[in-house]
Amino acid sequence: MKIFEPAVFALNTLPGFLIFMLLRSLLWCVGIHGGAVLAIADPIFLVMLGDNIAAAAAGTPLPYITASGFMYFVFLGGGGATLPLVFLMMRSKEKGFRSLGKLCLAPGIFEINEPVVFGVPLVMNPLMMIPYVLATEVLSLVTYGLMYFNIIARPLVNIPWTMPPVLAQYFLTGGDWRAAVLNIILIIISIIIYYPFFKMYDNELLAEEKAKEELTA
């Protein structure tokens, strides 16, 4: 425990957590499973959650913000908050993109976003990498700030990773309705972040589709 104390401290600070999430996102952007590579940190987050549970039982303030479960505020539909992107894809003007969005909706609700990551694709896509990374950092920053000032509750319950957004945030904070409301706000923020990049990419795909139709004709 003494050996890992520096890591526990670093991952519970805002700069440390933002760097951790940046590395995780960048690994996904080049097709490497960031969660698997950085899984060494999972026990640290679980130790933080255990300390939060012990503190709640003792009636004292919860000590850790980024305990296991914090990432559910960031992973809206999976890493990179891709569920809001799926909502946008479902309104795409390009048929293939729109169909992909509809197919990705059900998995996205249950935090499975590989169909989006590799279907869009977000991997090795310089344009879509930007909002993927940016959404992760912005949502982490907003959530950390609100928990730091005790506006919403900190992680307290270990929930299944497949629990849908809104419900996940409500239960992992021990039933804080403000956490559920925050999740809806975070979805809106993610849509705003993704929209300009989605629009550019959608227009590119639409132009390619028209070019193929003209060539076929």
Side-chain angles (χ1 to χ4, degrees), residues 102-167:
K102 293 176 181 178
L103 289 172
C104 292
L105 179 60
I109 290 174
F110 295 99
E111 301 294 317
I112 300 169
N113 73 339
E114 280 80 0
V116 182
V117 173
F118 296 102
V120 170
L122 298 175
V123 173
M124 305 302 287
N125 185 331
L127 178 62
M128 297 306 295
M129 283 181 189
I130 298 172
Y132 182 84
V133 174
L134 185 59
T136 298
E137 298 296 289
V138 170
L139 299 192
S140 297
L141 179 62
V142 171
T143 305
Y144 189 98
L146 292 174
M147 288 187 180
Y148 181 83
F149 290 107
N150 297 313
I151 297 174
I152 62 170
R154 300 180 181 188
L156 181 60
V157 179
N158 191 17
I159 63 170
W161 66 270
T162 52
M163 187 172 290
V166 181
L167 290 177

Side-chain angles (χ1 to χ4, degrees), residues 89-104:
M89 291 166 60
M90 291 173 63
R91 298 181 62 84
S92 171
K93 295 179 180 179
E94 201 273 321
K95 296 177 182 178
F97 208 29
R98 186 168 63 250
S99 297
L100 178 63
K102 293 176 181 178
L103 289 172
C104 292

Side-chain angles (χ1 to χ4, degrees), residues 13-95:
T13 64
L14 181 58
F17 189 78
L18 289 178
I19 292 172
F20 174 81
M21 294 302 288
L22 176 63
L23 291 174
R24 183 172 176 138
S25 298
L26 291 176
L27 286 170
W28 269 111
C29 286
V30 294
I32 300 173
H33 196 302
V37 173
L38 299 177
I40 189 173
D42 290 348
I44 296 174
F45 293 126
L46 284 171
V47 168
M48 292 180 184
L49 180 63
D51 287 347
N52 280 1
I53 294 171
T60 57
L62 307 190
Y64 294 110
I65 295 175
T66 60
S68 182
F70 178 89
M71 290 184 190
Y72 289 106
F73 286 92
V74 183
F75 293 169
L76 307 177
T82 52
L83 185 58
L85 174 60
V86 170
F87 294 153
L88 292 172
M89 291 166 60
M90 291 173 63
R91 298 181 62 84
S92 171
K93 295 179 180 179
E94 201 273 321
K95 296 177 182 178

